[in-house]
Amino acid sequence: MPSDLNQELYLGGLLEGLKFTIVDVTPSVPDRSGWGATFSNPSAGSKTSNGNGDFDYLHCPFEIKGGEKIGTTKLTANSGLYSTGQGGKVDIKFHLEGKTTVNGSEVHINDDGYISVSASDWKGLERPDVSNVTYYWPNSPPCNAALTVPPSIAGMPDDIFFVHAAKPDAKELGMTSTTHQEVVDMVLNYAIRGIFWVNEKLFSWAIGPFKPF
């Protein structure tokens, strides 16, 4: 039977004055044949959907500081040795709020955002090839980070780190991600100047409009 597929999510960094809060988490499965989807946070607990039903031991909302783990998602195959097709997913809603200084201007932020973790198709006796981490702002195009799943049973996709930025002049809010923790500080250095830094070590920027504070 294929092993579990775990994805570690981190808040890579946060501009001074902003607060990042997990508002709601929804694990879901395509049916009750044995598929499983779980979200867990070291301090807030866990929430699961599987063949036996839905189990909520997660205390929402909860705040995440810059550099801390948002949580771990665990996707499991359905019962039996041969699991094919789309499995479960985990949808996460967060809220970003506060005021910070960007390029010398005070910026007020009060926005919801979303992160969704799923996978490519399960392949019989093998796990999916890709862990899909999708992130977006409401009513704006989503971005997807496709993370390779190692072929070994014990191997897991790389950890992913999220960073946010703002462009006051354009009234835009941005969110990017990376599997290279060492570039997070550079992203933040550009962010305080109102620049959505583009680099080969970053996935795409999800961009949306400011919501009134």
Side-chain angles (χ1 to χ4, degrees), residues 93-144:
K93 179 181 180 180
F94 67 85
H95 187 72
L96 188 65
E97 182 177 348
K99 60 182 179 180
T100 188
T101 301
V102 176
N103 201 28
S105 299
E106 188 174 84
V107 179
H108 294 258
I109 294 173
N110 181 35
D111 286 83
D112 293 327
Y114 299 87
I115 300 168
S116 182
V117 182
S118 60
S120 56
D121 284 354
W122 293 74
K123 306 180 300 173
L125 298 176
E126 299 178 17
R127 296 184 302 171
D129 292 322
V130 173
S131 173
N132 286 309
V133 182
T134 306
Y135 48 99
Y136 58 98
W137 305 105
N139 303 313
S140 298
C143 291
N144 186 68

Side-chain angles (χ1 to χ4, degrees), residues 50-127:
N50 59 30
N52 296 316
D54 298 323
F55 305 90
D56 187 357
Y57 305 103
L58 188 66
H59 303 288
C60 285
F62 58 94
E63 183 180 357
I64 304 293
K65 304 286 189 182
E68 292 183 347
K69 179 184 286 189
I70 295 172
T72 303
T73 63
K74 179 188 291 290
L75 305 180
T76 55
N78 66 357
S79 56
L81 292 176
Y82 201 80
S83 303
T84 59
Q86 275 291 305
K89 68 173 183 173
V90 177
D91 294 314
I92 302 165
K93 179 181 180 180
F94 67 85
H95 187 72
L96 188 65
E97 182 177 348
K99 60 182 179 180
T100 188
T101 301
V102 176
N103 201 28
S105 299
E106 188 174 84
V107 179
H108 294 258
I109 294 173
N110 181 35
D111 286 83
D112 293 327
Y114 299 87
I115 300 168
S116 182
V117 182
S118 60
S120 56
D121 284 354
W122 293 74
K123 306 180 300 173
L125 298 176
E126 299 178 17
R127 296 184 302 171

Side-chain angles (χ1 to χ4, degrees), residues 154-177:
M156 296 296 170
D158 291 337
D159 300 348
I160 191 165
F161 302 82
F162 293 94
V163 187
H164 303 85
K167 285 184 179 179
D169 294 342
K171 300 295 184 184
E172 290 179 339
L173 193 59
M175 170 171 47
T176 189
S177 65

Side-chain angles (χ1 to χ4, degrees), residues 7 13 34 39 46 74-75 87 101 143 146 149 165 169 187 190 207 213:
Q7 181 65 62
F39 173 89
S46 65
K74 179 188 291 290
L75 305 180
T101 301
C143 291
V149 177
D169 294 342
V187 180
Y190 277 94
I207 299 173
F213 189 79

